[in-house]
Amino acid sequence: MQNKLSIGRAVTRFDSSGEMVWHPHECITLSEALKAYTAGSAYGAFRDEELGTLEVGKLADIIVLERNLFEVPTEEIPNTKVQLTIVDGKVVFDHTTTLIEK
C-alpha cells in the first residue's frame, strides 16, 4: 500500500532523504491522515456514498496491518506490512492464517 508512505510523510513531514524539510508546522495527526486517505478520497471521487468508511450498505474495502499504526513510532508507518486485503467484501490478499479461516 503506497499510501502508508504518504500517510507517514503527512504525519512526520519527512522527505525521502529522512530530513525534516517539508514545513514541519504543517504536520497533521495520524487520525487526520487516515481520514484524508479513506473518507476524503472517497469524497473527492464523488463515491462517498459507497466508499470511504465502514458502514452497512457500503463496499467492504479494508486492509489489516501487522501493527496498530497508533502504537508504532510514526517513522515506522511506511514499513508496516499489510496482512489482509478485502475488496468489495472478498479477500484478495491474505498473508496470515491467524485472522481468518482458510
Side-chain angles (χ1 to χ4, degrees):
M1 177 180 122
Q2 183 63 26
N3 289 344
K4 291 183 300 171
L5 180 59
S6 298
I7 289 168
R9 287 185 178 164
V11 173
T12 64
R13 302 301 290 161
F14 280 102
D15 67 0
S16 296
S17 71
E19 297 177 23
M20 195 169 218
V21 297
W22 291 100
H23 308 286
H25 62 279
E26 294 181 354
C27 289
I28 61 175
T29 67
L30 179 56
S31 292
E32 292 168 328
L34 291 172
K35 185 174 181 179
Y37 278 91
T38 55
S41 295
Y43 179 80
F46 302 101
R47 296 186 67 194
D48 53 314
E49 293 297 318
E50 61 183 307
L51 299 171
T53 57
L54 293 176
E55 297 179 55
V56 174
K58 289 189 175 185
L59 298 175
D61 296 351
I62 187 172
I63 62 168
V64 177
L65 302 173
E66 67 178 339
R67 301 182 287 176
N68 181 344
L69 295 184
F70 290 95
E71 296 177 357
V72 300
T74 54
E75 60 272 2
E76 292 182 22
I77 290 172
N79 301 323
T80 303
K81 293 183 179 21
V82 175
Q83 295 295 303
L84 183 73
T85 303
I86 300 172
V87 177
D88 197 15
K90 297 176 181 66
V91 175
V92 296
F93 175 79
D94 181 6
H95 192 47
T96 181
T97 56
T98 60
L99 294 177
I100 63 171
E101 293 182 28
K102 296 256 178 192

